Amino acid sequence: MAVQKNNSGANGVRSGRGADFGAGRSAMSARSGRLDRGGAGMRTTVPGRPAGSKKRKLSKKKRAMYRRRRIVALLIVLVGLALIGTCVYSLGRGIGAINTLIHHDDIYAISRDAVPTPKKVSSVKDCTAKDVSLELSSKSQSVGVGGSLDFTATIVYEGSSSCLVDGSDAGRVLTITSGNDTIYRSDLCAADSRMLLMAKGDKDTQTLTWNTDANGSLAECTDEDTWARVNAGTYVAQLSLKDHPKVTSDKVVFTVE
């Protein structure tokens, strides 16, 4: 009987330990079940975004503010481009002005090209030697070396029907001579034509100024500032028509002192 009690006691101890172990496993299974059920309901997170966060929506006020900032930035860029363009344009104008100043003499040099013959624009005939006469007078009978002398040149109409005559310095020519030498001619340099319609009673009067210089030995027009001054002596002035050389004025004698 004593042996049976001991065995029963031992069996009782083993039974108790087995119950405790089984209870522990049940508890762990229960917790594991809750974890499994909890895991099934867990929310997946996106890397770089806090869990549970949503895409932010901007309010109308903030959208308007950002829109204004973009407009202001665009305006700043446009103003900057405009300023750059203005600076480039001004720089170009400055370089052009400097270049013009440097080449001033070349730009404003006297043209050597002959003036083309003017085209007739009407059926009016040109004046002949019988239609006009020339008159010449001087303001003074003497002039100093290096001075200037004014002449009065007049074209007088004497025809019976209207006609055209060139009254420019190249068409109505002032010639100054000394002995057999031609000292000065007003038609050496080309001049724009000055066509005059002459009729009965018409008279054209112009003032011509001679600067006591000489161009008679030149074959073509040059700058008047390079022409030599004449020496003291007696000179003769006379008018003639370029198209009709035989039509001349009376001679005017004067002295350069």
Side-chain angles (χ1 to χ4, degrees):
M1 295 295 295
V3 173
Q4 290 176 355
K5 287 180 181 181
N6 290 337
N7 291 337
S8 299
N11 290 333
V13 171
R14 284 193 299 269
S15 297
R17 288 178 179 177
D20 291 341
F21 179 74
R25 291 188 62 181
S26 298
M28 289 179 65
S29 297
R31 284 195 300 271
S32 176
R34 285 195 300 271
L35 288 173
D36 291 343
R37 286 192 299 272
M42 289 178 68
R43 182 175 300 168
T44 304
T45 60
V46 177
R49 180 186 297 176
S53 65
K54 296 182 180 179
K55 185 177 180 180
R56 185 178 60 178
K57 291 185 178 181
L58 299 176
S59 65
K60 290 183 178 180
K61 184 176 180 180
K62 288 189 176 181
R63 287 199 300 269
M65 179 183 67
Y66 291 146
R67 192 181 303 113
R68 287 194 298 270
R69 289 180 178 177
R70 293 189 189 100
I71 293 173
V72 171
L74 179 60
L75 289 176
I76 292 174
V77 172
L78 293 177
V79 170
L81 292 176
L83 290 175
I84 293 173
T86 301
C87 292
V88 172
Y89 175 76
S90 299
L91 182 61
R93 289 289 300 274
I95 293 174
I98 294 173
N99 183 65
T100 299
L101 182 62
I102 293 174
H103 299 90
H104 179 274
D105 292 338
D106 295 336
I107 295 173
Y108 295 99
I110 295 176
S111 174
R112 309 295 182 231
D113 297 334
V115 177
T117 303
K119 296 181 179 180
K120 295 187 65 174
V121 294
S122 70
S123 59
V124 180
K125 68 175 185 176
D126 291 334
C127 294
T128 66
K130 297 179 180 180
D131 294 322
V132 294
S133 63
L134 300 175
E135 297 177 356
L136 180 67
S137 63
S138 63
K139 185 176 181 180
S140 175
Q141 298 301 312
S142 64
V143 60
V145 175
S148 60
L149 181 61
D150 290 338
F151 294 92
T152 300
T154 304
I155 302 175
V156 181
Y157 177 75
E158 296 179 345
S160 58
S161 60
S162 299
C163 63
L164 292 171
V165 63
D166 185 1
S168 69
D169 290 347
R172 179 256 302 116
V173 184
L174 172 66
T175 303
I176 296 176
T177 60
S178 177
N180 295 325
D181 298 328
T182 298
I183 304 300
Y184 172 86
R185 289 182 61 88
S186 65
D187 64 340
L188 176 65
C189 294
D192 292 336
S193 63
R194 180 173 167 264
M195 301 306 294
L196 303 174
L197 177 61
M198 307 295 289
K200 186 175 180 180
D202 285 346
K203 180 185 294 187
D204 178 74
T205 301
Q206 297 290 317
T207 299
L208 308 179
T209 300
W210 179 52
N211 295 316
T212 62
D213 45 20
N215 63 17
S217 62
L218 301 177
E220 62 181 9
C221 179
T222 59
D223 190 345
E224 186 176 355
D225 292 339
T226 65
W227 296 350
R229 297 292 185 179
V230 299
N231 298 321
T234 301
Y235 296 86
V236 177
Q238 189 175 35
L239 284 180
S240 63
L241 285 181
K242 191 175 186 67
D243 293 336
H244 304 284
K246 292 183 178 181
V247 179
T248 60
S249 67
D250 293 335
K251 295 180 179 181
V252 176
V253 179
F254 62 97
T255 60
V256 175
E257 301 174 345

